[in-house]
Amino acid sequence: MAASPSTARAINDRFALRLLQDEGPLTAAQLKTLTGLSRPTVADLVERLQGSGLVHVVGEAGAERRGPNAKLYGIVADRAHLAALDVRTRSVSVTVADLLGTTLAEASVPVGDESGTGPAVEKAVALLERTAKEAGADRLHSVAVGAPGLIDPATGELRDSSGLPAWHRRLVGVLQERLPAHVLVENETNLAAVAELREGAASDREDFVLLWLGQGVGAAVVLDGRLRRGASGGAGEIGFLPVPGTSGLPSATGCDGGFHELACTAAVEALAADHGLDPADALASGHGPFLDALARRLAVGAAAVVSVLDPGCVVLAGETGHQGGACLAARVEAELAALSPLRTEVRATTLGDAAVLRGALLRARDAAQDELFP
């Protein structure tokens, strides 16, 4: 069934905007070539997009080519401002960007254990407000928050958790109350996977699992190019995975005894100490016996995921994945090959500590563009 004229115009306009976002400023002739549309149709859509305030002339395509056909059109970047927050157990980081995702200002602040829920929330909100002001963003359109914990797929809210600070959940509510912006919250590991999928270690993959290895341990599942959250939002709670080599079994209220016990930061530091290494330098030391022992631990959890999902690729992220780099990833791949018949490539994160914040910014940009683009 043929699309109506208005639907066809909306499709063409959105396609052109995506091209302008991905390729940068383009001339009408370039838009004609890339879209396959006729010259009059391109002229009409450019006029529409200019009239809507989404596109403007940003220059010309070379001094030797003057006239209307040489005009370069680009997205009006300050049409909307975005913010991304990476909320950790003891800190908050903020990035403010324009509609194209270009960073305008960023900052971070520690949030100590001595802070109560109210002061911690105020500290985080004040950081966002200061950073937005520094960026010249009088009004934020979309704000994405990355935090540890489960996100309720029905409500989009961060669930209560006995293992996480109470101010995390309260922060999201306060932001929704105070800001005229659209506030979104997503699990930090999922956001890291989004960033690695679109701009990082998995940009050439449609199927992969990201293992988050830090103070907490988790996984994000991407299949057919889409993030999979599960029925209750808990897909990838690999810290609770029962594995050999732990003190017992995990429970519904605690992941001690699960894969978390083998792979969290504290466990990695203890393993380094057992090998006579300084925990702060162990992952980058190149110490073979330590890295081999750690790789065997990580391969146990990875093998369980691979046997169920067969993703073909595992990305090691978080503090351990970042610091261990390609050296650790290669060892995990070798150990995994001995445990599973399913061929699986193991890669180290290429975005490092910035992955969560970058993923949150991509999420905020998508939300803004979905609303603003036709």
Side-chain angles (χ1 to χ4, degrees), residues 126-143:
L127 177 70
L128 174 59
E129 291 173 343
R130 288 196 306 271
T131 309
K133 184 176 181 180
E134 180 185 340
D138 297 328
R139 180 186 177 94
L140 293 171
H141 183 283
S142 297
V143 177

Side-chain angles (χ1 to χ4, degrees), residues 79-158:
R79 180 73 166 73
H81 289 103
L82 324 167
L85 284 80
D86 181 1
V87 180
R88 304 291 177 97
T89 305
R90 296 182 178 85
S91 67
V92 177
S93 298
V94 174
T95 293
V96 176
D98 61 25
L99 184 57
L100 289 173
T102 303
T103 298
L104 303 176
E106 52 190 353
S108 61
V109 65
V111 180
D113 293 336
E114 72 280 359
S115 299
T117 299
V121 168
E122 290 302 322
K123 199 171 188 179
V125 173
L127 177 70
L128 174 59
E129 291 173 343
R130 288 196 306 271
T131 309
K133 184 176 181 180
E134 180 185 340
D138 297 328
R139 180 186 177 94
L140 293 171
H141 183 283
S142 297
V143 177
V145 181
L150 291 174
I151 311 299
D152 189 317
T155 64
E157 295 180 349
L158 185 65

Side-chain angles (χ1 to χ4, degrees), residues 20-358:
L20 290 171
Q21 173 188 285
D22 296 340
E23 305 293 333
L26 298 168
T27 64
Q30 289 170 326
L31 281 171
K32 175 181 177 297
T33 300
L34 292 171
T35 61
L37 299 173
S38 67
R39 188 180 302 277
T41 300
V42 169
D44 287 343
L45 77 81
V46 167
E47 184 177 355
R48 270 196 311 276
L49 294 175
Q50 283 185 289
S52 68
L54 288 170
V55 166
H56 62 167
V57 177
V58 297
E60 292 189 345
E64 72 283 357
R65 294 185 60 201
R66 299 292 181 182
N69 291 336
K71 290 181 179 179
L72 278 170
Y73 299 95
I75 292 176
V76 180
D78 61 1
R79 180 73 166 73
H81 289 103
L82 324 167
L85 284 80
D86 181 1
V87 180
R88 304 291 177 97
T89 305
R90 296 182 178 85
S91 67
V92 177
S93 298
V94 174
T95 293
V96 176
D98 61 25
L99 184 57
L100 289 173
T102 303
T103 298
L104 303 176
E106 52 190 353
S108 61
V109 65
V111 180
D113 293 336
E114 72 280 359
S115 299
T117 299
V121 168
E122 290 302 322
K123 199 171 188 179
V125 173
L127 177 70
L128 174 59
E129 291 173 343
R130 288 196 306 271
T131 309
K133 184 176 181 180
E134 180 185 340
D138 297 328
R139 180 186 177 94
L140 293 171
H141 183 283
S142 297
V143 177
V145 181
L150 291 174
I151 311 299
D152 189 317
T155 64
E157 295 180 349
L158 185 65
R159 293 183 180 178
D160 284 321
S161 174
S162 58
L164 297 172
W167 65 268
H168 280 196
R169 190 168 190 272
R170 180 59 185 144
L171 172 61
V172 175
V174 170
L175 291 174
Q176 291 170 334
E177 292 168 5
R178 293 194 189 178
L179 299 178
H182 185 198
V183 179
L184 312 159
V185 61
E186 180 61 271
N187 174 267
E188 61 178 355
T189 305
N190 285 345
L191 289 176
V194 168
E196 297 288 357
L197 171 66
R198 293 169 63 173
E199 300 180 349
S203 59
D204 62 337
R205 309 287 306 205
E206 289 197 342
D207 303 307
F208 74 98
V209 169
L210 180 138
L211 293 187
W212 183 265
L213 307 167
Q215 289 185 352
V217 175
V221 179
V222 175
L223 299 175
D224 298 323
R226 294 177 56 197
L227 184 67
R228 307 292 178 165
R229 296 178 176 83
S232 63
E237 285 295 319
I238 196 174
F240 289 87
L241 181 72
V243 293
T246 64
S247 60
L249 290 174
S251 70
T253 58
C255 53
D256 291 340
F259 183 55
H260 173 90
E261 187 176 309
L262 296 181
C264 68
T265 296
V268 174
E269 291 176 346
L271 183 63
D274 288 344
H275 283 80
L277 302 174
D278 181 349
D281 304 321
L283 285 164
S285 67
H287 188 274
F290 163 69
L291 292 174
D292 288 341
L294 178 58
R296 284 192 291 273
R297 288 187 176 192
L298 300 182
V300 169
V305 174
V306 166
S307 66
V308 174
L309 298 176
D310 187 19
C313 179
V314 171
V315 175
L316 304 183
E319 179 183 354
T320 297
H322 178 43
Q323 293 183 11
C327 186
L328 177 60
R331 283 173 160 83
V332 174
E333 182 173 324
E335 293 289 341
L336 187 55
L339 294 176
S340 172
L342 305 177
R343 181 171 176 79
T344 306
E345 184 178 3
V346 180
R347 303 176 179 179
T349 171
T350 58
L351 297 176
D353 292 340
V356 175
L357 205 54
R358 187 59 193 168

